[in-house]
Amino acid sequence: MSEPEMGASPDMQGDARFAAILADLETISRELRDEGIIDTLTGTEGGSVTIEFGVWGEGDEAEPSVIVSIDSPEDFDGDDDLIDDFEDEVLERLEAASRGWSTEATDLLGDDRQVVLLFNGEEI
């Protein structure tokens, strides 16, 4: 399993320019949970999701990423279609939210990021 490598992404928590982005990431995570999308994906209640911009990989393999971490009381037992639909839903919501983000912040984040899905800490 790859692990996040820190240091190559801007410090979003400590920079006021990213406040709107962080708020939108929290909102998207909450909506995915409140609308039952996480329960559908995990097949159980009580799951959560966290979305963050970061770097994923090791050494020269590390890439800027959107890291979507799903935590669930149960292991993932769904099919690839559920994962694909979930990833599409997250990307659509991020795209819609990004229209309100400042140009300065989005330029710092860049626009070419892979999506990494983690389920109970394991990349899927």
Side-chain angles (χ1 to χ4, degrees):
M1 174 177 93
S2 297
E3 299 208 359
E5 182 169 294
M6 303 309 289
S9 260
D11 176 14
M12 294 181 70
Q13 298 294 330
D15 191 329
R17 294 175 292 185
F18 296 109
I21 295 172
L22 292 171
D24 284 341
L25 296 179
E26 286 289 324
T27 298
I28 293 167
S29 295
R30 185 181 62 251
E31 289 173 350
L32 291 168
R33 188 180 52 251
D34 292 350
E35 294 172 15
I37 294 171
I38 297 300
D39 292 348
T40 299
L41 178 66
T42 63
T44 187
E45 293 181 3
S48 65
V49 62
T50 304
I51 304 168
E52 62 186 340
F53 289 93
V55 176
W56 187 260
E58 298 177 7
D60 293 340
E61 303 285 318
E63 293 184 49
S65 305
V66 175
I67 302 168
V68 182
S69 300
I70 303 156
D71 292 311
S72 172
E74 302 288 331
D75 290 335
F76 181 69
D77 193 25
D79 61 24
D80 289 342
D81 289 338
L82 283 174
I83 293 294
D84 291 342
D85 291 346
F86 177 75
E87 184 175 335
D88 290 345
E89 184 69 29
V90 170
L91 290 174
E92 285 175 21
R93 291 176 189 235
L94 283 172
E95 182 180 332
S98 71
R99 293 183 193 120
W101 299 344
S102 75
T103 302
E104 181 180 17
T106 56
D107 286 349
L108 288 170
L109 287 175
D111 60 357
D112 188 22
R113 291 183 171 265
Q114 68 175 341
V115 176
V116 177
L117 293 174
L118 304 176
F119 196 94
N120 289 337
E122 297 292 323
E123 188 171 2
I124 54 174

